[in-house]
Amino acid sequence: MAELSLRNLDKIYDNNVQAVFGFNLDVKDGEFIVLVGPSGCGKSTTLRMVAGLEDISNGQLIIDGNDVTRMPPKDRDIAMVFQNYALYGHMSVYENMAFSLVLRKESKNVIHQKVLAAAEILGLTDQLNKKPGQLSGGQRQRVAMGRAIVRNPKVFLFDEPLSNLDAKLRGSTRREIMLLHKRLKATMIYVTHDQTEALTLADRIVCMSMGYVQQVGTPLELYNTPANIFVASFIGLPPMNLFDVKVEDGKLKNDLFEVSLDSEQQNLLKDYVGKEIVLGVRPENIEPGSDVKATVVNVENLGQNTLVHMHVGAKRVVGKFRGWCKYNINEEITVSFNKMHFFDKETTNAIR
Ligand code: ADP
C-alpha cells in the first residue's frame, strides 16, 4: 500500500481564488485520514490535488517516495469514490466494476475473479446483473466502492461518499466503510463536512477552515484538546458553549456567573489574570449544580440523555444531561461545569 506526503500544497484557481494555503500532512501506510470542515474550506480541492484532478499550484506531493506532483491521474494508482457515484447507467453492476480492468486489458479470468471478490466483500454478489438504476442509493454507493476495490489502488480517496444517503443508510454505510478499511488495510483519505463521520472513521482528523489546516490529530485529541475556538466549535455535537469571562484571582467571572479555578487551572491562566479569555464548556460537561443560574427554554429527551436548552442571561446555552430529565419551560435551574476549556480571546488559540 502507500505512504503519502503532502508538502506545503497551495491551490490558486484561475480566477485567483486561493482555496488551499500551505497544506502539510504525512499520511502513514494504511492510515484512515478524514479531512473535515464546513463547506468551501478547501477539503475537496485538497483531495482533487492528490487525485491529480486539479493542478497543484505550489508544493509537492510524494507517494511512496516518488514525486507525483505533475503526474497525470491515471499514473498515480489512486482510486476515487465520488458522492454522485459516477456509475455508467447502461452497464450492469458487473460491467461497471470491471470497466477499469477492461481498459487496462486484464484477462477475462482475472477480471472475473477480482469483480467476484469485490462483490463478495461488499455484499453485491446477487446484484451483479442489475443496472445501477435498479439499485438503492446504498447499493450504488457500494458499486462505486467496488469499482475502486477491483483496481487494488495504492490510495483510496472518498469525496463525501455518504452525503446522498438518508440518515439510517448513512450510519450503516459508514460502518461498512470502517470494516472495509480494516479488511483492506489500505491508505484512505476521506472528505466530509460531518464531524460525526470524522470522529467515528478517522485514525487522524485534519480539521480545515478557509483553506487552512486548523488541527491534525486523533479524534480524541481534537475532542479533548481542540487547538482553537474553531476546532472546539466544529468537533462535538451539540457544539461547545462559549462564554467571555475575566480571569480573577482564583476564579473566572462575568456579569452572569463566577466559577472557581483549581490550582492547576490557576497555574495555566496565571498570565491572564485581569484579562478576558473565552471559556468553552461542552454540553456534556454541564450538569445540574450550584454555580450558574439558568432559565430552561426547551427540553429534548433523547432517551439516554436530555438536551436542556437554557438562557444564561441573554446567552443561549445547551446542556446534555444524563438520563431522562424533566424540566418545565421557564424553570430556573442552576448548573455547574465539570470540565472547562480556555482560549485566548485575541488569537483564539487554546491556552495550554
Ligand atoms: P469544500 O470541499 O471544503 O466544500 P472546495 O475545495 O470545493 O471546498 O472549495 C474551496 C474554495 O475554492 C471555495 O471557495 C470554492 O468556491 C473555490 N473553488 C472550488 N472549485 C473552484 C473552481 N473550479 N474555480 C474557482 N474556485 C473554486
Side-chain angles (χ1 to χ4, degrees):
M1 282 293 159
E3 288 177 355
L4 280 83
S5 183
L6 289 69
R7 299 186 184 160
N8 259 314
L9 299 188
D10 287 335
K11 177 65 190 180
I12 305 156
Y13 281 109
D14 292 341
N15 58 359
N16 271 334
V17 169
Q18 181 153 2
V20 177
F21 297 81
F23 189 107
N24 274 304
L25 183 70
D26 285 320
V27 183
K28 296 193 255 310
D29 182 30
E31 200 172 17
F32 199 132
I33 295 286
V34 177
L35 307 185
V36 73
S39 178
C41 73
K43 311 176 293 287
S44 297
T45 301
T46 304
L47 198 74
R48 293 170 64 81
M49 286 196 283
V50 174
L53 301 173
E54 291 292 348
D55 292 340
I56 293 170
S57 307
N58 296 302
Q60 263 186 319
L61 175 65
I62 313 287
I63 301 181
D64 277 344
N66 299 315
D67 188 335
V68 303
T69 310
R70 306 275 165 241
M71 197 180 266
K74 65 178 175 42
D75 298 331
R76 293 190 186 190
D77 203 1
I78 281 174
M80 184 138 162
V81 179
F82 297 93
Q83 64 176 267
N84 60 6
Y85 321 133
L87 301 178
Y88 298 109
H90 62 286
M91 291 184 188
S92 67
V93 169
Y94 185 102
E95 288 164 337
N96 264 286
M97 283 167 61
F99 188 68
S100 66
L101 303 178
V102 173
L103 287 185
R104 268 200 225 162
K105 302 198 167 39
E106 298 263 17
S107 75
K108 277 215 163 94
N109 214 346
V110 168
I111 293 176
H112 194 62
Q113 279 173 15
K114 288 188 172 171
V115 171
L116 290 190
E120 169 78 32
I121 290 175
L122 295 164
L124 288 171
T125 310
D126 298 338
Q127 315 294 331
L128 287 171
N129 293 324
K130 291 192 181 162
K131 297 270 166 61
Q134 297 169 282
L135 303 180
S136 69
Q139 287 170 327
R140 270 181 249 166
Q141 184 50 259
R142 276 189 265 155
V143 178
M145 289 196 267
R147 265 197 327 197
I149 292 170
V150 294
R151 291 175 48 193
N152 191 26
K154 279 190 168 165
V155 186
F156 287 80
L157 305 179
F158 295 90
D159 192 359
E160 302 256 7
L162 308 185
S163 58
N164 287 335
L165 305 178
D166 63 49
K168 198 169 163 202
L169 210 51
R170 256 202 314 268
S172 59
T173 312
R174 192 177 75 214
R175 286 185 284 280
E176 279 174 23
I177 292 176
M178 209 165 6
L179 293 175
L180 189 68
H181 177 248
K182 289 208 163 69
R183 184 158 179 176
L184 300 176
K185 298 185 173 59
T187 310
M188 296 185 172
I189 306 180
Y190 183 107
V191 159
T192 180
H193 62 274
D194 179 343
Q195 61 92 41
T196 308
E197 285 176 32
L199 285 175
T200 52
L201 285 170
D203 291 320
R204 280 189 304 155
I205 296 174
V206 180
C207 186
M208 295 181 73
S209 167
M210 295 166 74
Y212 289 92
V213 171
Q214 301 293 317
Q215 188 171 8
V216 181
T218 64
L220 196 61
E221 282 166 352
L222 268 72
Y223 176 80
N224 270 341
T225 50
N228 55 35
I229 291 179
F230 178 83
V231 178
S233 318
F234 196 82
I235 300 288
L237 201 70
M240 190 182 276
N241 301 289
L242 300 168
F243 306 91
D244 288 333
V245 290
K246 193 167 171 194
V247 185
E248 293 192 353
D249 204 18
K251 61 190 175 193
L252 300 177
K253 203 175 164 188
N254 63 18
D255 293 347
L256 302 164
F257 61 82
E258 64 178 59
V259 288
S260 39
L261 298 167
D262 64 26
S263 55
E264 201 178 317
Q265 291 164 333
Q266 286 181 42
N267 194 35
L268 188 66
L269 296 174
K270 62 179 184 302
D271 296 339
Y272 288 85
V273 174
K275 293 184 189 156
E276 285 226 326
I277 63 164
V278 176
L279 163 67
V281 186
R282 293 204 182 278
E284 51 274 38
N285 296 132
I286 298 183
E287 57 190 15
S290 55
D291 296 320
V292 181
K293 285 198 172 68
T295 308
V296 174
V297 288
N298 200 2
V299 179
E300 292 176 274
N301 286 109
L302 302 174
Q304 266 189 337
N305 41 51
T306 305
L307 292 184
V308 182
H309 301 265
M310 331 166 222
H311 273 146
V312 174
K315 191 166 174 58
R316 188 79 176 245
V317 173
V318 186
K320 191 174 185 178
F321 295 177
R322 277 160 169 279
W324 191 284
C325 305
K326 277 196 168 167
Y327 293 105
N328 298 318
I329 306 300
N330 291 329
E331 187 173 336
E332 306 285 332
I333 61 173
T334 45
V335 297
S336 291
F337 304 148
N338 64 31
K339 178 169 180 179
M340 299 190 280
H341 300 260
F342 310 120
F343 302 95
D344 186 296
K345 210 172 164 175
E346 266 168 45
T347 64
T348 79
N349 289 332
I351 300 170
R352 299 239 202 279

